[in-house]
Amino acid sequence: MKEKLWAGRFSLETDKLVDEFNASISFDKRLYKHDIRGSIAHATVLKEAGILTEREAKKIISGLKEVEKEIDAGKLAFTTGMEDIHMAVEGRLTEKIGALGGKLHTGRSRNDQVALDIRLYLKDEIYGIIALLHDLKAAVVEVAEKNFDCIMPGYTHLQRAQPVLLAHHLLAYYEMFKRDTARLFDSLERTDSMPLGAGALAGSPYDLNRGLTAKLLGFKDVTENSLDSVADRDFIIEFLSAASIIMMHLSRLSEELILWSSQEFGFVELSDAFSTGSSIMPQKKNPDVAELSRGKTGRVYGNLFALLTTMKALPLAYNKDMQEDKEPLFDTIDTLKITLKVYGPMLKTMRVKKENMLKATSAGFLNATDVADYLTKRGLPFREAHHAAGQAVAYCINRGITFDDLDLSEWKGFSKLFGPDIKDAIAIEKSINTRKIYGGTAFATVKKRLQAVMAEVKKGCC
Ligand code: ARG
């Protein structure tokens, strides 16, 4: 086996098991483009500092670009012996351009290099995820608009509570995804700092222009403290938290879609293209996409907790424990991206069963609050009005009838304040339209919000 790049002080070869245990190449190879981008910027800064000649820098940079092409083409076989992507790239560069390749690592350590690579990589991925979230928001808005006239029961405690518009219900998810986008942008703020120059921990002894490295790589600023630069993984944890919250939102929507597509609810039917069958029960059509989105939420939470636990009580500065940051990060990114990608099309192709949703609002006394409000508006204190409405509910339940079946004299039995206009006052559409308060479910209010969010979506994501 070829000698390791750090083998100078060692007299024994590394045990094979240690090689296997220590290596991160099998997963950090996905950072190769960012590693090479970082190295090209570093070579440029080394040249500016007079550490590399113009010719040397050029040779290193074109060598790095060739290595990138080889990896793009799948021509570089990654082996455990390469240890990690940083060693793999530098090793291959040195094979290609000779001893000069060894000058690239001047003034740099893998500790600041890996911090740089992950930041570069994560920035790219966050922008991609923001774009996917945007598509999902657009899908939510499209379904809300298409079914604008659809009335459904709103729930608390999963008990029918008050009628709402389906569009209002869906736009609640829009608000969640909008906050998710803001959280991702916010996490970008702290990801967007350039750590190179920290060296192993104490700062590079060379006069490297860190501002130039940041500029070349498109970072907004440089990190302030060399120890923190190599020890900080907060930005990953913040991203994993934001990702967990996105998945939490998706799991809530999934849970509703799973319920709604059950025969018990019958509110929606997912497209055949976004459902699966059973290997034994021929009649089954299962909402697997929603179920898996709900299920994968657990794994994304797990990744957040894995890294929080890895980082707990780690002394400054870099510790090899931190190599364990990558797999949870990569897994979360992969999981989140595929979930976001499949979700919008599933929503857009689902059939909303408007009649069933409306029918469900007619049983369960969803307008009982409106009965109480009717009395309140006629001067009765709300608590007394609530009691009278409750008695009307009990009266109907005992007789197996609904409010619609009550005549005026029966209404008057609960309160003298009831008049002939009670029927109209508690009609479902009326119930909805009285809630025209900002943020409420009235048709006009929701229409306004829908128009506003449609304009937001049209503006694009970033
Ligand atoms: N593969 C390592 C990681 O992911 C790179 C940094 C290694 N640094 C070191 N001093 N061994 O964390």
Side-chain angles (χ1 to χ4, degrees), residues 24 28 84 86 110-111 114 318 320 322-323 326:
S24 53
D28 67 14
D84 59 26
H86 326 295
R110 272 186 295 161
N111 298 352
V114 73
Y318 176 84
K320 191 69 176 232
M322 289 156 71
Q323 180 166 286
K326 287 170 207 63

Side-chain angles (χ1 to χ4, degrees), residues 267-283:
F267 284 2
V268 297
E269 185 181 352
L270 298 174
S271 156
D272 279 5
F274 288 87
S275 307
T276 52
S278 156
S279 58
I280 173 168
M281 296 166 282
Q283 86 283 12

